[in-house]
Amino acid sequence: MRGCFITFEGVEGAGKTTHVRLLAEWLRQQHLGVVESREPDGTPLGEAILSIFHIEGVAISPLTELFLFEAARHQHLTELIEPALARGQVVLCDRFADSTLAYQGYGRGLDLEEVDKLNHWATLGMRPDLTILLDLEIPAAFERIRGRPLDRFEQAGLEFHERVRKGYLEIAAREPGRILPLAADRPVEAVQAEIRDRVMRLLHTRGIRS
Ligand code: T5A
């Protein structure tokens, strides 16, 4: 039986990494096969692509940025995600195609339809079964990541991140069946409980969990 693909989205510091880890632990306690991954650095090639973004003083155009994320995504899909789903595993992924639409589309201002098309090409039309959108106001998000060195995207400024957040909410409104938006300004346990509830219902529906 084919597995299940669940992605986590949201602005910086929204809690994606935290909730992927907690959900994976919980699913493993129930003897389910789980693969945790992330974009863009879910494969060795993706790690190399991420390191390009970290080169100091190198200007990267929005379109170049888009192609780099899509290259990482296609490699990730073929090397890790699809094989895990074919083995019947539950794949939890910290960021996926919605990140590109939110950051390079809404954030950088690239044409949304063109970004959608490229996403479709890179993913071979494969969509997550469920996407958890952790929604957090930008000042609260930046408060959470305060004190750590800021990367290229985190340095992009408040207005950029406001556009990204707005973009995510618009994407979620267009696809209510796939995307579950959750207010992420609450205690971790409360948010995680809602995630587990929704994931369990999905796994029942898919016959992965009786
Ligand atoms: N990007 C990526 C694009 O532009 N386009 C793309 O297509 C893709 C795939 C990735 C960057 O790349 C960009 C977007 C990003 O800028 P990253 O370092 O992976 O860079 O950035 P994030 O994925 O955003 O990772 P973060 O660590 O910044 O955020 P998370 O994972 O959402 O947050 P998390 O879980 O690490 O939590 C942050 C802090 O908040 C606390 C945690 O303990 C932690 O200290 N926290 C809470 N505190 C209070 N209450 C809660 N409910 C909390 N939940 C977590």
Side-chain angles (χ1 to χ4, degrees):
M1 182 189 303
R2 188 174 163 82
C4 205
F5 184 38
I6 302 170
T7 59
F8 288 73
E9 296 283 357
V11 298
E12 329 286 312
K16 300 174 295 296
T17 311
T18 303
H19 286 291
V20 166
R21 181 177 47 78
L22 291 172
L23 182 63
E25 279 171 14
W26 184 69
L27 292 172
R28 286 191 184 111
Q29 281 164 12
Q30 300 175 60
H31 311 291
L32 289 165
V34 179
V35 172
E36 288 169 71
S37 196
R38 50 184 295 127
E39 290 210 351
D41 50 336
T43 64
L45 184 81
E47 283 177 25
I49 288 174
L50 181 60
S51 72
I52 295 173
F53 291 118
H54 292 158
I55 303 171
E56 291 270 336
V58 171
I60 300 180
S61 79
L63 202 51
T64 303
E65 205 174 270
L66 173 67
F67 290 139
L68 288 171
F69 280 117
E70 297 294 7
R73 176 157 307 126
H74 182 71
Q75 186 69 25
H76 190 209
L77 182 88
T78 54
E79 184 177 323
L80 188 141
I81 299 171
E82 275 296 351
L85 293 174
R87 288 193 301 269
Q89 291 180 296
V90 179
V91 179
L92 307 181
C93 190
D94 186 340
R95 298 194 179 280
F96 192 61
D98 296 316
S99 281
T100 312
L101 197 55
Y103 280 77
Q104 280 65 52
Y106 287 91
R108 297 289 192 218
L110 292 177
D111 184 88
L112 297 178
E113 279 185 26
E114 296 298 326
V115 176
D116 244 348
K117 274 189 213 158
L118 212 53
N119 263 341
H120 192 266
W121 202 21
T123 59
L124 307 174
M126 202 274 266
R127 320 266 296 164
D129 297 295
L130 171 65
T131 296
I132 306 293
L133 171 59
L134 297 164
D135 179 50
L136 189 61
E137 289 190 0
I138 301 304
F142 274 78
E143 185 57 32
R144 282 192 190 168
I145 62 172
R146 197 156 59 101
R148 77 182 191 194
L150 298 184
D151 66 22
R152 177 182 298 270
F153 302 97
E154 288 157 354
Q155 288 169 11
L158 285 184
E159 284 178 13
F160 171 82
H161 290 281
E162 293 289 2
R163 289 196 298 276
V164 171
R165 178 177 179 229
K166 180 172 164 280
Y168 269 131
L169 292 172
E170 285 187 19
I171 298 166
R174 282 202 299 272
E175 289 191 72
R178 171 175 70 88
I179 304 179
L180 174 66
L182 292 176
D185 59 349
R186 298 171 292 150
V188 173
E189 299 71 27
V191 179
Q192 179 66 198
E194 286 192 41
I195 294 172
R196 289 177 183 180
D197 181 58
R198 178 61 181 263
V199 167
M200 210 23 91
R201 279 190 281 133
L202 172 69
L203 297 181
H204 279 300
T205 310
R206 298 289 297 271
I208 293 171
R209 189 94 174 101
S210 56

